Amino acid sequence: MNPFTVAAAATLAIIALSQQMSEAYGPSPWADTTIIVRASGSTLEFQPPRLSVEAGTRVRLRFVNDGTLPHNLVLPRRDDDIDALALAAYESAETGYVPLAQKDKLVAYTALVSPGETAEITFEVPPAGEYTYVCLFPGHANTMLGTLRALRPRDKWGSESHYSP
């Protein structure tokens, strides 16, 4: 068989397999790690309430709503913006209670997730520090909070780098 024909057939097979996987699993942007955060029951809390991930890591966050109420998960750039975002969320029902007019204040956010549903987002962990993730569904922002601790990147020998972010 002609080498060109073999290469073309192999390429078509890879493309077909890739399309089948995409249809079976949905879009899967490249990520360094996957983290699962849940809401359960009628409590207004995220599980786990604290996450630690190295800054600069590309994270696929899967938000699973096993609870009885709708929720979203929003990661603001600064904690000082949470109150303003929560207030603006009341006027943002059409965007799942995420105030997209203030998108520049957000690192990442999910759609509004109904009970029994799951949403996935992919984002790059911001510079080293602590960031609060919050549900902006009306009435949830005061208690449904979690902390993302962005760790300093490690050097190739496994120790923390010695520079300031």
Side-chain angles (χ1 to χ4, degrees):
M1 192 174 239
N2 178 339
F4 177 75
T5 304
V6 171
T11 301
L12 289 174
I14 290 170
I15 291 170
L17 179 60
S18 174
Q19 288 175 337
Q20 288 174 355
M21 288 179 67
S22 179
E23 290 170 6
Y25 300 107
S28 57
W30 177 83
D32 297 321
T33 191
T34 298
I35 295 173
I36 298 173
V37 175
R38 296 180 183 279
S40 61
S42 60
T43 62
L44 297 180
E45 54 189 41
F46 290 109
Q47 298 166 358
R50 286 187 64 82
L51 302 169
S52 294
V53 185
E54 189 174 294
T57 301
R58 189 128 172 100
V59 170
R60 178 181 300 117
L61 186 138
R62 185 173 298 132
F63 179 48
V64 180
N65 187 353
D66 292 328
T68 58
L69 302 167
H71 300 291
N72 58 27
L73 188 150
V74 178
L75 181 62
R77 293 189 188 283
R78 298 172 353 130
D79 284 2
D80 292 344
D81 293 328
I82 292 174
D83 288 341
L85 290 167
L87 187 60
Y90 280 94
E91 304 297 323
S92 303
E94 69 284 349
T95 57
Y97 300 99
V98 177
L100 296 181
Q102 298 182 39
K103 193 174 181 178
D104 60 320
K105 294 180 179 179
L106 307 177
V107 173
Y109 57 91
T110 68
L112 188 65
V113 182
S114 296
E117 294 185 353
T118 299
E120 255 185 32
I121 54 173
T122 302
F123 65 96
E124 186 173 309
V125 175
E130 288 199 356
Y131 301 84
T132 301
Y133 51 98
V134 59
C135 174
L136 291 181
F137 187 82
H140 294 194
N142 289 333
T143 58
M144 195 163 181
L145 305 162
T147 302
L148 170 67
R149 184 170 175 229
L151 305 172
R152 288 192 172 157
R154 299 197 177 271
D155 63 22
K156 63 182 176 181
W157 294 282
S159 61
E160 285 191 16
S161 300
H162 297 286
Y163 66 91
S164 298

